[in-house]
Amino acid sequence: MTATYELHRGFTLTRVLDAPQDSAFRAWTDPDHLHWFFNPAQPTPAEPIKVDLTVGGEWRQRMVVDGATSYITGGIYRQITPPGRLSFYWGAVGGWPEIDRAHLDDGPLATVVLGNRGELTEMVFTLALPDSWPADRVRVWETDGPHDGWSQTLDRLVDAVGQPELEGHAAL
């Protein structure tokens, strides 16, 4: 008997946010509302979050792993359709995951679809790995934890919506 392995080139996560669609969109696109992205177990960097909300513009923020390790992440916007859809090549030039502006299609593509449910928003997040990646690179990504990392990050957004302003950061 031969074992088979199904290669997955991405994943989809769904959450319901206790916030209207425009607030959910703002949580993804306004630097004053992106603090939910930080890991609360680590120090919040003093470096400001930067967002150029244009197609081809960048979102950049420093993430802290521990006292000795930090990196820039974010994305380069591919599609911006307020208030219901946003897609970006996940990563940063000089950051993690490393993306190359000259070859954006070789980077992971994140898509956020925000469905209007009145005072609630259904958020569908999809991360697609490029077809150009060889199977061994995709397998590394499958086992390296992006699914769990994004799931935890999206859970922080769910927890953040409707919370009062904290430490000078705008409430969602």
Side-chain angles (χ1 to χ4, degrees):
M1 177 192 281
T2 303
T4 60
Y5 176 81
E6 184 178 342
L7 192 64
H8 300 281
R9 290 194 172 269
F11 55 86
T12 298
L13 302 168
T14 302
R15 302 288 189 276
V16 175
L17 305 176
D18 188 10
Q21 186 184 38
D22 61 333
S23 294
F25 189 82
R26 192 169 42 254
W28 276 98
T29 58
D30 183 333
D32 291 336
H33 295 275
L34 270 163
H35 293 275
W36 60 268
F37 205 82
F38 293 123
N39 181 342
Q42 300 301 331
T44 300
E47 186 175 332
I49 298 169
K50 297 177 184 173
V51 173
D52 174 7
L53 191 59
T54 59
V55 172
E58 292 183 80
W59 149 44
R60 293 175 64 86
Q61 69 187 84
R62 180 164 299 282
M63 300 298 289
V64 176
V65 176
D66 56 43
T69 308
S70 70
Y71 61 92
I72 297 290
T73 195
I76 297 177
Y77 294 109
R78 179 175 185 245
Q79 179 186 25
I80 304 164
T81 309
R85 187 177 182 88
L86 181 72
S87 66
F88 55 90
Y89 294 99
W90 173 42
V93 175
W96 191 87
E98 175 73 38
I99 54 178
D100 179 352
R101 276 196 164 279
H103 303 284
L104 290 176
D105 288 336
D106 288 335
L109 180 64
T111 302
V112 180
V113 177
L114 302 168
N116 186 350
R117 289 190 174 179
E119 291 301 309
L120 300 176
T121 301
E122 181 181 56
M123 176 179 60
V124 179
F125 173 90
T126 302
L127 186 71
L129 302 179
D131 290 338
S132 63
W133 284 14
D136 58 336
R137 184 173 182 190
V138 172
R139 280 190 198 94
V140 167
W141 270 67
E142 284 183 339
T143 59
D144 238 5
H147 179 277
D148 292 343
W150 272 109
S151 185
Q152 293 166 11
T153 300
L154 298 180
D155 287 345
R156 289 196 296 269
L157 174 57
V158 169
D159 292 343
V161 295
Q163 297 297 315
E165 185 172 330
L166 298 173
E167 299 179 30
H169 303 301
L172 297 175

